[in-house]
């Protein structure tokens, strides 16, 4: 059978593809993931008691902007990887930019701090639970992102799974910011990133199995 005949056979009976299907699916996934993470946070953790005062601090919004930047870059990555033949173009740089900016801020904070304060700035009070709580809150978005990706046509399954996992991690972390009392750049630049890497690694491991089509 010639290639053109095979293509014709496969296309027989295929309906029109709904425009903007990928953005629509991922918008639904992000929305449901955020709702699920919010319910988990409210039921298991609760918002930080001083949230009304925290939102008046610049570092609270720097923290949110950092996570939102990673969420936007990972969403763009998932949109590209959900369709065959799409190049990642500036995605690696977009993913690296917020991390490097936070690390630069963390370096400045540590350089200006007294030696006795540096360990506290890095470890905070919740380093031992922060990454795992982020991973927990990311679980609803992880399921939703995998559903969104599965319904499209990814070909680089491990990379696509990692991107979906990072998106889930960023969504979960955005909700976690409402609970987390930590405000130090060194803490955020390491432990938040570590927390988001947990669903990213899970997506890379499970992508070839869950996204096969």
């Amino acid at each position: 059978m010639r290639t053109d005949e095979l293509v014709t056979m496969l296309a027989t009976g295929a309906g029109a593809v709904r425009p903007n299907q990928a953005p629509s699916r991922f918008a639904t996934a992000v929305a449901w993931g955020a709702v699920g993470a919010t319910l988990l946070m409210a039921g298991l953790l609760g918002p930080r008691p001083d949230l009304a005062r925290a939102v008046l601090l610049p570092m609270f919004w720097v923290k949110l902007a950092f996570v939102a930047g990673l969420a936007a870059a990972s969403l763009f990555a998932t949109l590209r990887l959900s369709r065959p033949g799409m190049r990642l173009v500036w995605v690696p740089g977009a993913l690296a930019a917020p991390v490097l900016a936070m690390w630069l801020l963390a370096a400045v904070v540590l350089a200006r701090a007294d030696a006795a304060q540096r360990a506290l700035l890095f470890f905070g009070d919740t380093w031992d639970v922060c990454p795992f709580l982020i991973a927990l809150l990311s679980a609803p978005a992880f399921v939703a992102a995998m559903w969104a990706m599965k319904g499209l046509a990814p070909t680089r399954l491990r990379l696509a799974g990692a991107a979906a996992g990072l998106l889930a991690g960023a969504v979960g972390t955005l909700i976690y910011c409402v609970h987390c009392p930590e405000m130090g750049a060194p803490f955020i630049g390491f432990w938040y990133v570590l927390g988001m890497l947990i669903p990213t690694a899970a997506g890379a491991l499970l992508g070839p199995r869950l996204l096969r089509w």
Side-chain angles (χ1 to χ4, degrees), residues 60 66 85 102:
F60 181 85
F66 165 64
M102 183 58 71

Side-chain angles (χ1 to χ4, degrees), residues 15-205:
V17 177
R18 184 162 54 91
N20 299 321
Q21 184 177 12
S24 176
R25 288 182 70 88
F26 279 108
T28 301
V30 169
W32 280 110
V35 169
T38 301
L39 293 175
L40 280 176
M41 186 276 295
L44 299 178
L45 305 173
R48 55 185 295 175
D50 63 341
L51 183 60
R53 292 194 303 272
V55 298
L56 300 177
L57 301 175
M59 194 59 202
F60 181 85
W61 297 103
V62 170
K63 178 168 67 171
L64 284 182
F66 165 64
V67 181
L70 281 174
S74 59
L75 176 59
F76 185 77
T78 56
L79 289 172
R80 305 289 292 183
L81 289 166
S82 65
R83 290 168 288 183
M86 299 293 288
R87 298 177 59 192
L88 293 181
V89 292
W90 47 267
V91 168
L95 289 171
V99 176
L100 293 176
M102 183 58 71
W103 285 356
L104 178 60
L105 178 58
V108 172
V109 170
L110 289 174
R112 291 181 175 179
D114 295 334
Q117 295 179 319
R118 289 172 183 165
L120 180 60
L121 287 169
F122 180 78
F123 288 103
D125 295 317
T126 62
W127 68 271
D128 55 339
V129 296
C130 171
F132 304 106
L133 291 177
I134 286 175
L136 173 64
L137 297 187
S138 301
F142 185 87
V143 174
M146 286 296 180
W147 163 83
M149 185 75 78
K150 176 72 174 179
L152 299 169
T155 54
R156 290 169 283 181
L157 302 186
R158 194 172 299 280
L159 194 58
L166 181 58
L167 175 61
V171 171
T173 305
L174 277 173
I175 304 304
Y176 181 68
C177 288
V178 178
H179 163 78
C180 180
E182 308 288 355
M183 302 285 272
F187 183 97
I188 295 165
F190 185 82
W191 300 106
Y192 271 36
V193 171
L194 182 60
M196 286 183 273
L197 286 178
I198 295 175
T200 303
L205 290 172

